[in-house]
Amino acid sequence: MTVIRRLALYAALPLALVAVAGYGWYQLSDTGKRWRYEDALASYCEGLIPPKESAVFTGYDTEKGLPNDWDRGADHQFCKVGRSLLTIARIPESARDDDGPRGVFDDLRPGERGTLPMTLGGGWRGYTNLASTAAVLECRNQDASVVVSASGSGDTVAGRTTAELVTATAVRAAEHWDCEAEAGGPIPPVPAEPEEKSRFDAKGTCAGIPMHDMDIVHWLKETPAAETSLLETCVLGETKARAEELFQVRAFFGPFAQAQYPEYESTRDAGRFGDFFWATAKCPGTSARALFTISTTEYVHEDVEDFARSALTAFAERSAKQHGCTDLQLPR
């Protein structure tokens, strides 16, 4: 009996040592850390966060890197990845922001920080303004779109790695919601922040706006125009005691048009409210009409209605044509 016990002890001891060594390896090794991180992601934010692209922000830390997620409904997830806040949603084409309780559209709107919105490139429908980033996948088999947006906290810059996280998350979300959609390719380097330039040198989002009789405008700021953009902005400004913005001309497509307060839709497809003018157009692949707007700032002290109308018309015609949109309705 003593011999049998000794043999059992001799057999169990190596197994115990192997188990201890394995546990230590799992706790301390880089591979073990990655495995624990992937295990945590399986249940974090409905499993929609990609391990590789998110690890850039978390360092495989499952506590500080994945601090919290919120389930805001079957089709709306909100979670933190490092210092970034991610909104992940499937949005029906019929949805509109009713200005009621906080919802998905509030989480999608770009914040006040950041530069002008620039396209993501790589064939992705999306934007980045270096403070927030978003990508949209249109579902061919559903009247809906999958949208993922990310915004940083503090002075966090949303660069190429943020775009890679957003687009990879969008692919996983589309699979999760059985959305058949066409993804883009590798994300190119994020363009440099747009700078002020001559009002007669428009080549992108400001192209076509008639400037010859507008002496109050000294400079413009724009981004390259692309058919994959979801947000477009052209800024016209003056240089006196300091550089001030005078006009902001914008375009919104898909879910970002849906996210605008629907006052314009409740009346007609184009119109005016004070110094604010809007136009809309029907775009392929969605029932949500694109929205084009122009607004003036407090630094405009003269009657500029004629210019505002002509600027919005030129901007909307150029943008709608580039995106393949038709039935452009302009304010009368």
Side-chain angles (χ1 to χ4, degrees):
M1 183 64 69
T2 302
V3 173
I4 294 175
R5 289 177 177 172
R6 288 177 178 174
L7 290 175
L9 179 61
Y10 293 150
L13 185 58
L15 292 176
L17 292 175
V18 170
V20 171
Y23 180 77
W25 174 86
Y26 181 75
Q27 290 294 324
L28 300 176
S29 72
D30 290 339
T31 302
K33 186 177 183 180
R34 176 170 58 82
W35 284 2
R36 293 196 307 278
Y37 182 73
E38 293 175 354
D39 288 343
L41 281 182
S43 58
Y44 187 77
C45 207
E46 291 295 315
L48 299 177
I49 306 300
K52 177 182 176 183
E53 289 79 7
S54 63
V56 176
F57 301 88
T58 64
Y60 294 111
D61 188 328
T62 59
E63 295 183 3
K64 294 182 179 179
L66 305 174
N68 206 348
D69 61 343
W70 300 266
D71 187 339
R72 295 188 171 176
D75 293 340
H76 184 191
Q77 302 294 321
F78 191 65
C79 49
K80 293 197 69 174
V81 176
R83 298 179 65 189
S84 296
L85 289 170
L86 265 66
T87 295
I88 310 169
R90 177 173 57 177
I91 301 178
E93 292 180 2
S94 59
R96 299 292 185 274
D97 185 11
D98 60 3
D99 202 33
R102 185 175 182 85
V104 63
F105 290 122
D106 298 286
D107 292 335
L108 285 178
R109 289 194 185 91
E112 295 298 323
R113 298 185 303 115
T115 181
L116 302 189
M118 300 173 283
T119 185
L120 292 181
W124 291 93
R125 295 196 68 218
Y127 84 91
T128 181
N129 66 0
L130 303 184
S132 60
T133 301
V136 170
L137 291 177
E138 296 177 349
C139 305
R140 293 189 295 264
N141 60 330
Q142 304 174 27
D143 292 329
S145 296
V146 169
V147 186
V148 177
S149 71
S151 59
S153 58
D155 57 356
T156 303
V157 175
R160 187 177 188 175
T161 53
T162 301
E164 291 171 341
L165 171 62
V166 165
T167 52
T169 302
V171 171
R172 291 172 72 98
E175 294 174 351
H176 175 76
W177 283 310
D178 297 321
C179 166
E180 297 177 3
E182 183 176 354
I187 300 293
V190 175
E193 181 175 347
E195 298 181 349
E196 298 171 11
K197 58 184 180 180
S198 167
R199 62 176 177 156
F200 300 117
D201 194 27
K203 298 177 181 178
T205 51
C206 293
I209 294 179
M211 299 297 303
H212 293 284
D213 296 327
M214 282 303 292
D215 293 336
I216 65 171
V217 175
H218 303 147
W219 54 263
L220 62 84
K221 189 181 291 187
E222 64 175 357
T223 64
E227 61 182 352
T228 56
S229 60
L230 294 173
L231 298 173
E232 293 183 348
T233 301
C234 166
V235 176
L236 308 176
E238 67 176 1
T239 304
K240 289 185 176 179
R242 57 182 180 178
E244 301 288 3
E245 295 183 0
L246 300 176
F247 302 92
Q248 296 175 340
V249 199
R250 296 187 174 99
F252 307 83
F253 297 91
F256 290 89
Q258 295 171 244
Q260 298 306 301
Y261 183 66
E263 188 65 30
Y264 70 93
E265 284 194 354
S266 66
T267 53
R268 54 194 183 278
D269 289 332
R272 173 189 183 183
F273 184 78
D275 293 330
F276 177 80
F277 296 80
W278 75 87
T280 64
K282 179 175 177 54
C283 300
T286 177
S287 62
R289 293 179 67 86
L291 173 65
F292 310 96
T293 69
I294 185 169
S295 57
T296 62
T297 70
E298 65 271 24
Y299 300 102
V300 177
H301 304 295
E302 57 187 82
D303 183 6
V304 292
E305 178 181 344
D306 291 342
F307 172 74
R309 289 180 179 275
S310 62
L312 177 61
T313 297
F315 177 86
E317 287 178 345
R318 188 272 312 157
S319 184
K321 181 179 180 180
Q322 188 164 36
H323 284 78
C325 303
T326 58
D327 188 33
L328 176 62
Q329 300 293 312
L330 296 164
R332 297 176 181 178

